[in-house]
Amino acid sequence: MSLVLGFDPDFHNSGLAVVEFDRRFTTPRLTHAAVIKVPKALKGDAAVAAMIDALPECPAVLNRAIIEGQENYRGKSKGRATPDVLIRLAHIAGAARREYGKDGEVIVAPKTWKGGTKKTIHQARICARMGWDCQAMSGWVKPIGLPESVLRLGIKGKQWSHVLDAIGLALYGIEQLEGVRFGGRRYGG
């Protein structure tokens, strides 16, 4: 059995998920999920400091931690982060690496693990790899028909957008590190 943590940093809603894999890496199972929240009123360095302080202790003894890094998308201005924002997000990713990483952590750029795939398509693929049905919402995907063990984790509504990204990081990481294929195709993008 392997436990892999995925962490998707954000200033106000960071996603965290721990996915358990059996010895053959055939059946992923979500064992822990959280959205770490910081008040929207906090901006800049204050939001970064609050998010770092809010990071929970590691929820399990992990085999790996996969943390989303940052990258600059050149030539595109719509919705893209400034260098200042990227540096601040890197502080949060670094704190997560300190909290959750040991020898098995990987920091991966968004374009590397997600490619250029639209968020709703990518999150639907994550749900399929977890064995869940899903429903497209406005700009994100909501898993439906979840097992009781997942419902007990208490993730509601749009929180799933952050948690699905964290799950996607864990799935990507285990595939890349262990050569696993989910659903007969390589994961990512």
Side-chain angles (χ1 to χ4, degrees):
M1 175 182 75
S2 290
L3 290 174
V4 180
L5 179 138
F7 182 78
D8 182 30
D10 185 77
F11 293 125
H12 301 103
N13 294 289
S14 291
L16 182 144
V18 176
V19 180
E20 178 184 276
F21 298 89
D22 60 18
R23 288 184 334 162
R24 294 173 49 206
F25 299 103
T26 55
T27 309
R29 185 175 72 87
L30 184 64
T31 63
H32 182 84
V35 175
I36 302 114
K37 295 181 179 186
V38 166
K40 294 270 187 198
L42 295 176
K43 305 288 183 205
D45 290 338
V48 170
M51 181 57 71
I52 290 170
D53 288 345
L55 292 176
E57 288 186 20
C58 192
V61 177
L62 303 172
N63 298 92
R64 303 235 186 258
I66 313 299
I67 300 163
E68 186 176 70
Q70 290 68 50
E71 65 185 318
N72 185 16
Y73 296 91
R74 295 177 184 231
K76 296 183 178 181
S77 60
K78 183 181 176 188
R80 301 301 180 204
T82 64
D84 182 54
V85 167
L86 294 174
I87 290 167
R88 286 184 171 130
L89 284 170
H91 289 307
I92 296 170
R97 180 176 189 251
R98 181 197 68 223
E99 185 67 37
Y100 307 124
K102 291 188 180 152
D103 296 328
E105 81 280 339
V106 175
I107 295 181
V108 61
K111 199 172 193 178
T112 302
W113 78 273
K114 292 191 277 194
T117 307
K118 189 176 171 185
K119 188 172 194 83
T120 52
I121 294 169
H122 196 257
Q123 289 184 343
R125 289 178 183 168
I126 293 166
C127 287
R129 284 168 176 84
M130 293 300 292
W132 304 336
D133 291 326
C134 63
Q135 175 183 6
M137 306 304 278
S138 180
W140 61 286
V141 167
K142 177 182 176 181
I144 56 175
L146 296 171
E148 184 61 34
S149 62
V150 174
L151 292 174
R152 276 184 287 211
L153 297 174
I155 303 302
K156 306 281 186 205
K158 189 146 180 154
Q159 291 178 335
W160 276 109
S161 180
H162 306 290
V163 169
L164 283 172
D165 285 349
I167 293 169
L169 283 156
L171 293 172
Y172 174 84
I174 203 70
E175 180 184 84
Q176 296 303 306
L177 298 168
E178 302 293 341
V180 175
R181 288 179 176 253
F182 293 98
R185 16 182 323 196
R186 283 196 85 51
Y187 185 72

